[in-house]
């Protein structure tokens, strides 16, 4: 039973090694060892099958299939040795140039195999058991060289790993090499007793007599050592994977750092462009002089696109000449008027209405001489200025160096061209708005004079006739009464005139903001009307309203206070400004007599306030009840930051 247990342990060691090596051979690796593991796995599984057959034969020596199993074992044993030889040669060849003596390995293997086959046929027909002869010569000629070659292969791999940074498992490969050399002795040289080779002197019996331990124990120890060192040495692949992961991590970090650096550079470039475009937009929104805005845009184009010069030109009214509006270089920025552009490349590009790059889109041998720099241009980019589907001019940048503008540069130049067109549109729109504002104010004053001063003057004319008639009747008391009424009408007319003058003087231009303008107007309104008007503002800064919206808000406040003076009979008024949910809320509240809004029809003041609110996308509401005062509300949307 001890022998059976030893055989079982022997076979189990090779089985475990074969399974572990087979599993590891499925993983990708750059090590030479991994490319030959399948042969070592096949050896371990085939060899363990040989030993399991031997265990079965020992357990059931009288089994009828014993002879068949013996033959199978006899055939599988040399096959396992050949697999081990293939593994060893593969390892040795991968570790560098082969020693010269290995060139004779095929001859050393093939010739004995041929002789062994011939010898086995002779033995089978004339004498001793072919099974014993096959085992002896298989161990001498196949298993022994296989263990030696595999051990030498591990030895060369051990030496190579010392230079690859995988030295943590290096000693295990050396141990596997020694274990295979030991296994070559106990399983390759020690054979059953036979009348040939070393078998008469070195066999199972002599080992038992010399050491007192059966050779199967030595073989089991060798198998366990081989399995232990080989399986443990497979950890070299785990270390390799760790190194690969570490390398990938480092490369990933480097790639991430490079990507972050590129993103940072792109973000800085984008922020520079964004800040430049926003700055131009703010200048446009502040209704700055159009020439100043265009000059700033051209200068921004030159800086952002790293150019030596930039220019903008517009067609004249007859579209016969392209007149230079402004140009810039590193030395200066100037606005020019009525200077005709004569460069044929610029004229052709602007007329075509397409993007143009020099020299890519220019005819062969074309040259560009810049009159500003008095030098030849190496690269340039031109984009048209398009307003309402009509070409009105062009914007271009140029470099002295032969460094072409990219498609991204062209996109940025188009954005600046759009800003230039917007500035021109704003200039036209501002002129129109100013004209409309003048017309609107004239209409408002005309309505005020019609509703107030004109009616009062007409009333005074009637009163004069009445007083004249009364005096003719010598009714002095009645005349004094009519004169008192005339005085009241004159005072009311004076109040209307003062209010109109005050509203005309109230302005948002210059350094005066919305809140300060309202404070000044309300203070003067209190002096004129002697009402208590409280102005409450919860705003910490000026509200983000367009200039037109600010003007309309002031006019609504003026109209609301005028209605309070004329109709409310109030003593206390409150004007409040608040900001909520991206909107500005304005309320004018009084403690007057109130009225029924439904009963008021065709009231010019209320209609005007509503129209002013709608003109700037605002909402106007009025709430009032008899005896409860009136509240006027205006909600205006704020501009985005």
């Amino acid at each position: 039973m001890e022998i059976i247990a030893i055989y079982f342990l022997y076979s189990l060691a090779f089985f475990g090694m074969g399974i572990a090596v087979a599993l590891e051979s499925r993983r990708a690796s750059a090590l030479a060892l991994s490319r030959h593991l399948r042969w070592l796995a096949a050896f371990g599984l085939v060899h363990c099958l040989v030993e399991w057959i031997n265990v079965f034969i020992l357990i059931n020596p009288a089994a009828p299939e014993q002879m068949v199993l013996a033959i199978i074992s006899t055939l599988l044993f040399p096959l396992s040795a050949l697999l081990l030889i293939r593994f060893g040669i593969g390892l040795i060849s991968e570790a560098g140039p082969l020693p010269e003596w290995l060139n004779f390995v095929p001859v050393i293997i093939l010739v004995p195999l041929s002789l062994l086959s011939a010898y086995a046929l002779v033995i089978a027909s004339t004498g001793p058991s072919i099974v014993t002869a096959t085992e002896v010569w298989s161990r001498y000629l196949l298993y022994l060289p296989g263990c030696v070659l595999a051990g030498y292969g591990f030895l060369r791999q051990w030496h190579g790993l010392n230079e690859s940074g995988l030295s943590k498992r290096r000693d295990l490969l050396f141990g596997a090499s020694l274990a295979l050399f030991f296994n070559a002795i106990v399983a390759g040289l020690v054979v059953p007793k036979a009348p040939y080779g070393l078998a008469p002197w070195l066999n199972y019996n002599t080992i038992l007599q010399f050491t007192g331990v059966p050779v199967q124990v030595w073989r089991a120890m060798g198998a366990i050592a081989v399995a232990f060192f080989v399986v443990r040495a497979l950890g070299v692949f785990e270390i390799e994977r760790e190194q690969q992961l570490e390398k990938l991590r480092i490369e990933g970090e480097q790639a991430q750092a490079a990507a972050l650096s590129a993103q940072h550079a792109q973000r800085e470039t984008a922020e520079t462009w964004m800040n430049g475009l926003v700055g131009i937009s703010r200048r446009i929104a502040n209704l700055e002089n159009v020439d100043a805005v265009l000059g700033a845009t051209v200068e921004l184009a030159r800086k952002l696109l790293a150019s030596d010069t930039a220019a903008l030109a517009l067609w004249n009214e007859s579209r016969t000449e392209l007149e230079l509006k402004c140009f810039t270089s590193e030395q200066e920025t100037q606005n020019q008027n009525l200077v005709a552009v004569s460069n044929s490349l610029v004229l052709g590009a602007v007329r075509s209405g397409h993007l143009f790059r020099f020299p890519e889109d220019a005819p062969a041998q074309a040259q560009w001489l810049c009159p500003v720099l008095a030098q030849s241009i190496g690269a340039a980019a031109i984009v048209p200025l398009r307003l309402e589907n009509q070409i009105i001019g062009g914007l271009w940048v140029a470099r002295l160096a032969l460094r072409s503008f990219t498609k991204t540069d062209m996109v940025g130049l188009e954005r600046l061209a759009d800003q230039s067109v917007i500035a021109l549109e704003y200039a036209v729109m501002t002129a129109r708005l100013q004209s409309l504002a003048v017309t609107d104010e004239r209409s408002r004053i005309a309505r005020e004079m019609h509703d107030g001063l004109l009616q009062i003057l007409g009333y005074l004319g009637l009163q004069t006739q009445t007083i004249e008639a009364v005096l003719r009747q010598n009714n002095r008391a009645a005349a004094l009464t009519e004169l008192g009424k005339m005085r009241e009408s004159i005072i009311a007319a004076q109040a209307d005139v003062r209010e109109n003058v005050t509203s005309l003087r109230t302005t948002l231009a210059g350094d005066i903001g919305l809140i300060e303008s309202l404070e000044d107007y309300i203070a003067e309104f209190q002096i004129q009307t002697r009402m208590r008007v409280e102005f409450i503002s919860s705003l910490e800064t000026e509200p983000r309203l367009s200039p037109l919206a600010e003007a309309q808000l002031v006019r609504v406040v003026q109209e609301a206070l005028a209605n309070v003076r004329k109709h409310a009979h109030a003593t206390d008024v409150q004007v409040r400004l608040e900001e909520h949910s991206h909107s500005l809320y304005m309320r004018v509240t009084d403690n007057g007599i109130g009225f029924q809004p439904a009963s008021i029809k065709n009231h010019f003041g209320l209609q005007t306030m509503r129209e002013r609110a709608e003109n700037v996308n605002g909402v106007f509401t009025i709430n009032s009840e008899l005896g409860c005062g009136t509240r006027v509300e205006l909600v205006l949307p704020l501009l985005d930051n």
Side-chain angles (χ1 to χ4, degrees):
M1 291 301 293
E2 291 82 359
I3 295 299
I4 294 174
I6 291 172
Y7 271 108
F8 180 77
L9 185 62
Y10 182 47
S11 62
L12 188 62
F14 280 112
F15 175 76
M17 183 192 72
I19 293 296
V21 174
L23 292 175
E24 191 63 43
S25 66
R26 300 173 61 185
R27 301 186 182 183
S29 172
L31 295 178
L33 179 61
S34 67
R35 291 190 285 274
H36 304 283
L37 285 179
R38 62 182 184 276
W39 303 109
L40 183 61
F43 159 74
L45 295 176
V46 173
H47 200 72
C48 79
L49 185 60
V50 172
E51 300 305 327
W52 276 341
I53 291 175
N54 292 334
V55 170
F56 186 80
I57 292 174
L58 290 174
I59 294 175
N60 299 293
E65 62 273 13
Q66 182 181 13
M67 183 57 67
V68 176
L69 293 175
I71 294 173
I72 294 174
S73 175
T74 301
L75 295 175
L76 290 179
F77 181 76
L79 175 61
S80 67
L82 288 173
L83 293 171
L84 188 59
I85 290 173
R86 174 64 183 83
F87 169 73
I89 293 176
L91 279 189
I92 294 172
S93 64
E94 291 279 4
L98 292 174
E100 293 183 0
W101 60 269
L102 282 178
N103 295 328
F104 300 97
V105 167
V107 178
I108 295 173
I109 294 176
L110 293 176
V111 172
L113 279 177
S114 302
L115 295 175
L116 180 61
S117 300
Y119 182 79
L121 292 175
V122 173
I123 293 297
S125 59
T126 61
S129 171
I130 188 174
V131 174
T132 301
T134 302
E135 180 182 356
V136 170
W137 290 109
S138 295
R139 291 186 183 275
Y140 282 158
L141 302 179
L142 296 177
Y143 197 78
L144 174 62
C147 288
V148 172
L149 290 173
Y152 184 66
F154 273 117
L155 192 63
R156 298 200 70 181
Q157 292 294 320
W158 166 76
H159 182 268
L161 285 181
N162 189 38
E163 302 173 356
S164 62
L166 300 172
S167 56
K168 289 184 179 180
R169 297 284 176 167
R170 180 170 177 263
D171 294 339
L172 294 171
L173 291 177
F174 184 75
S177 176
L178 294 180
L180 282 167
F181 288 148
F182 176 78
N183 201 49
I185 296 173
V186 298
L189 288 178
V190 179
V191 297
K193 188 174 182 180
Y196 30 73
L198 297 177
W201 304 280
L202 186 59
N203 52 54
Y204 295 171
N205 295 332
T206 57
I207 292 297
L208 180 61
Q209 293 173 1
F210 183 75
T211 63
V213 179
V215 70
Q216 289 80 5
V217 175
W218 293 110
R219 288 178 179 174
M221 292 173 59
I224 293 173
V226 170
F228 172 79
F229 284 110
V230 168
V231 173
R232 292 283 294 169
L234 294 178
V236 72
F237 299 107
E238 189 65 31
I239 296 176
E240 180 197 26
R241 279 187 287 274
E242 291 177 358
Q243 290 182 347
Q244 291 174 344
L245 290 175
E246 180 65 17
K247 182 179 179 181
L248 290 175
R249 185 188 65 80
I250 295 174
E251 290 177 351
E253 290 179 352
Q254 292 175 346
Q256 185 178 13
L260 289 175
S261 178
Q263 289 178 0
H264 181 69
Q266 292 176 354
R267 185 166 55 251
E268 285 186 345
T269 302
E271 288 178 354
T272 302
W273 275 93
M274 182 63 68
N275 292 336
L277 293 173
V278 169
I280 297 297
S281 298
R282 285 176 177 170
R283 299 185 72 162
I284 295 173
N286 291 333
L287 301 179
E288 290 189 16
N289 179 270
V290 65
D291 290 339
V293 175
L294 293 179
T297 304
V298 172
E299 174 65 14
L300 183 64
R302 186 188 67 81
K303 290 182 178 179
L304 292 180
L305 295 174
S307 303
D308 296 299
T309 183
L312 182 145
L314 301 175
W315 287 112
N316 59 9
E317 293 183 0
S318 60
R319 297 185 61 81
T320 57
E321 288 186 343
L322 188 65
E323 298 173 346
L324 189 64
K325 188 68 176 176
C326 56
F327 72 89
T328 179
S329 63
E330 292 185 0
Q331 289 75 27
E332 59 180 344
T333 298
Q334 293 186 11
N335 291 330
Q336 295 283 339
N337 290 312
L338 305 178
V339 177
V341 176
S342 59
N343 189 307
S344 60
L345 295 175
V346 176
L347 292 172
V350 175
R351 284 197 183 98
S352 68
H354 300 298
L355 304 182
F356 178 87
R357 290 191 301 166
F358 177 82
E360 290 82 358
D361 301 330
Q365 307 303 322
Q367 294 185 353
W368 182 328
L369 180 63
C370 178
V372 176
L373 303 178
Q375 297 184 55
S376 295
I377 295 299
I382 306 173
V383 296
L385 301 179
R386 193 183 303 273
L387 177 59
E388 297 178 354
N389 296 324
Q390 184 177 4
I391 304 300
I392 62 172
L395 172 66
W396 64 91
V397 290
R399 296 170 179 161
L400 297 177
L402 185 58
R403 183 164 54 91
S404 298
F405 290 91
T406 65
K407 293 182 178 179
T408 303
D409 294 336
M410 300 300 289
V411 172
L413 191 59
E414 282 188 289
R415 298 293 179 269
L416 291 172
D418 292 339
Q419 292 293 89
S420 301
V421 173
I422 292 172
L424 294 170
E425 283 186 301
Y426 260 72
V428 175
M429 183 184 67
T430 301
R432 291 176 181 173
L433 287 177
Q434 289 175 347
S435 177
L436 290 174
V438 171
T439 303
D440 182 64
E441 287 305 311
R442 287 177 177 176
S443 299
R444 185 183 69 83
I445 294 172
R447 288 196 300 269
E448 293 290 342
M449 293 179 67
H450 179 272
D451 293 343
L453 185 59
L454 186 60
Q455 292 183 9
I456 290 174
L457 290 176
Y459 171 74
L460 291 176
L462 293 175
Q463 286 294 97
T464 302
Q465 294 177 4
T466 302
I467 293 173
E468 183 180 358
V470 170
L471 289 175
R472 287 176 180 174
Q473 297 173 3
N474 295 321
N475 190 346
R476 186 171 179 277
L480 292 174
T481 301
E482 295 301 327
L483 285 174
K485 293 179 180 180
M486 287 181 65
R487 185 182 298 108
E488 293 177 358
S489 297
I490 292 171
I491 293 173
Q494 289 176 336
D496 285 342
V497 171
R498 281 196 299 268
E499 186 176 314
N500 287 330
V501 172
T502 302
S503 65
L504 290 174
R505 288 168 54 191
T506 302
T507 178
L508 296 173
D511 298 330
I512 301 178
L514 172 66
I515 297 177
E516 185 176 352
S517 297
L518 289 176
E519 289 176 343
D520 292 344
Y521 179 79
I522 290 172
E524 196 160 346
F525 181 83
Q526 289 186 93
I527 295 173
Q528 293 177 6
T529 62
R530 298 183 181 180
M531 292 184 186
R532 288 191 297 272
V533 183
E534 182 182 14
F535 178 62
I536 301 175
S537 174
S538 61
L539 306 180
E540 297 180 356
T541 58
E542 291 291 329
R544 301 184 305 279
L545 293 173
S546 66
L548 183 59
E550 289 184 348
Q552 299 292 34
L553 184 144
V554 171
R555 298 308 182 204
V556 170
V557 172
Q558 291 174 349
E559 188 71 34
L561 292 178
N563 289 336
V564 171
R565 179 185 63 80
K566 292 178 182 179
H567 311 295
H569 302 290
T571 57
D572 293 307
V573 185
Q574 184 183 87
V575 179
R576 180 182 293 271
L577 286 180
E578 296 177 344
E579 183 177 331
H580 299 292
S581 303
H582 304 290
S583 297
L584 180 67
Y585 289 77
M586 186 281 297
R587 297 184 184 88
V588 177
T589 307
D590 65 67
N591 63 347
I593 60 175
F595 65 96
Q596 292 290 340
S599 64
I600 303 298
K601 296 182 180 180
N602 299 324
H603 190 280
F604 288 111
L606 298 180
Q607 182 64 26
T608 299
M609 286 190 285
R610 184 169 286 104
E611 290 175 356
R612 290 184 184 277
E614 294 174 352
N615 190 35
V616 289
N617 298 321
V619 178
F620 174 80
T621 57
I622 185 166
N623 296 281
S624 181
E625 293 184 9
L626 291 175
C628 297
T630 302
R631 184 175 73 252
V632 173
E633 293 188 353
L634 175 63
V635 182
L636 296 175
L638 295 174
L639 298 177
D640 295 332
N641 289 325

